[in-house]
Amino acid sequence: MPKTEKVNPLLIIKSVYNSLTKTEQKVADYIMVNHAEAVYSSVTDLAEVVGVGETTVLRFCRKLGYRGFQEFKLAIAQNLMEVDEQVYGKIDEQDSVDIVAKKIATQNVSALNDTVALLRESTLQAAVDKINSANKIYFFGVGSSGITALDGKHRLMRLGYNTEHVSDSHIMSMTASLLGEEDLIIAISSSGSTKDVVDAIEIAKENNACIICITNQARSPITKYADLILLAANKESPFEGGIFSSKIAQLLLLDVLATNAALCNKEQASKAIKSTAESVLDKLY
């Protein structure tokens, strides 16, 4: 098997095609034609489109020499960049700085509008009700999504909610093992395939904790354990992890949740906002 880091993954597929099982060949056939779209897919998305199980997709990736689907997508994205296909929106290297600014602004506005369009009132209201009835609210996320989760914790804390932020994978799993039906997890993962987060909420689900997930992928491992799913519209390739349009869409959802929750709990929110503001007065000039 050739080293996969610098070899076009499509060439690797051709070289091992005859040794693949029939179901693995179905994955290969789809990837050969739709590799650009595959960069934006979750393992669940791809498995469903092809008509195979997720384990088949993972086995296919490993037979090519990759550790998993994310590493395979990274190789595909790298190849697309090398052949000058635009993975990052429609920004060209010939664009002036002000044109880049305008294109990014347009991308961000589009992500916000598309996210609002994906919201379902019943799901949103159920999520708000869970926030207001929870004994404690835990924000789970790692990497860039972990930073977004911390923003969510800070916002709800300042509105008077009992919140905690967890981004360490071991502590996440241990925390999940101690939760119960009165606890709420808001799990954030752009890909919906972040193993640390998915593993932790699986444990929490076994303990009957309520789980709200915020993700860009409607069909991904994290959604299997979520009671409520809130979708951020923007899509990321592996080379766009943590791009701001994706983060802005997630923050919009957190803001919508927090604002609606506070409107339903005005007395607590007003008191907490006043208390937290006064607590830091001596830290400002």
Side-chain angles (χ1 to χ4, degrees):
M1 177 67 62
K3 288 186 177 181
T4 57
E5 307 91 67
K6 296 183 180 180
V7 179
N8 183 336
L10 303 182
L11 295 178
I12 300 176
I13 292 174
K14 291 179 181 178
S15 70
V16 303
Y17 187 86
N18 290 335
S19 66
L20 300 175
T21 65
K22 291 188 180 298
T23 53
E24 291 165 356
Q25 286 180 353
K26 289 178 67 176
V27 179
D29 293 339
Y30 179 83
I31 293 291
M32 292 297 293
V33 177
N34 304 284
H35 49 278
E37 290 79 3
V39 167
Y40 296 100
S41 299
S42 68
V43 64
T44 310
D45 280 331
L46 184 60
E48 184 173 296
V49 169
V50 177
V52 300
E54 293 177 21
T55 54
T56 298
V57 176
L58 296 174
R59 191 168 59 243
F60 164 79
C61 295
R62 291 179 185 128
K63 282 191 175 180
L64 299 183
Y66 300 99
R67 288 173 294 180
F69 185 58
Q70 294 301 315
E71 188 174 68
F72 172 68
K73 287 203 304 181
L74 194 69
I76 290 286
Q78 177 69 62
N79 183 62
L80 291 175
M81 292 179 70
E82 288 175 353
V83 295
D84 293 326
E85 291 187 28
Q86 293 299 317
V87 176
Y88 186 80
K90 296 181 179 180
I91 294 175
D92 299 316
E93 50 185 57
Q94 294 85 8
D95 289 339
S96 61
V97 290
D98 64 316
I99 293 299
V100 170
K102 291 176 182 177
K103 286 185 175 181
I104 291 175
T106 299
Q107 184 182 32
N108 289 339
V109 170
S110 177
L112 293 174
N113 288 333
D114 290 346
T115 298
V116 171
L118 288 172
L119 277 174
R120 295 293 176 266
E121 184 177 358
S122 58
T123 303
L124 179 59
Q125 185 61 60
V128 170
D129 291 342
K130 290 294 184 183
I131 289 173
N132 278 324
S133 64
N135 176 55
K136 190 169 184 178
I137 302 165
Y138 297 81
F139 285 87
F140 283 8
V142 298
S144 178
S145 292
I147 298 171
T148 307
L150 182 59
D151 285 330
K153 177 258 189 313
H154 284 162
R155 179 70 195 282
L156 285 188
M157 177 192 68
R158 297 198 70 174
L159 293 173
Y161 292 91
N162 186 12
T163 67
E164 184 174 333
H165 165 259
V166 187
S167 60
D168 178 272
S169 61
H170 289 197
I171 296 176
M172 200 178 292
S173 291
M174 288 187 285
T175 299
S177 72
L178 299 174
L179 303 187
E181 59 184 12
E182 295 183 354
D183 296 310
L184 170 65
I185 295 174
I186 299 178
I188 304 175
S189 171
S190 296
S191 68
S193 301
T194 307
K195 194 173 187 302
D196 291 338
V197 177
V198 174
D199 288 349
I201 65 170
E202 182 180 5
I203 295 170
K205 189 69 173 177
E206 293 173 354
N207 292 325
N208 298 315
C210 180
I211 298 159
I212 298 172
C213 78
I214 294 178
T215 183
N216 295 358
Q217 299 288 351
R219 296 181 180 87
S220 56
I222 197 173
T223 62
K224 294 178 182 178
Y225 305 104
D227 296 288
L228 298 167
I229 302 167
L230 296 174
L231 293 175
N234 197 62
K235 296 189 295 185
E236 295 181 350
S237 85
F239 279 96
E240 297 172 329
I243 59 173
F244 286 118
S245 56
S246 179
K247 184 174 290 292
I248 287 169
Q250 293 176 345
L251 288 171
L252 168 66
L253 291 173
L254 290 174
D255 200 4
V256 169
L257 284 175
T259 301
N260 277 288
L263 288 172
C264 295
N265 207 355
K266 290 182 181 178
E267 185 176 347
Q268 172 191 288
S270 297
K271 182 178 179 181
I273 290 171
K274 181 175 183 295
S275 295
T276 54
E278 290 176 347
S279 71
V280 294
L281 281 178
D282 62 347
K283 299 185 184 301
L284 300 173
Y285 287 106

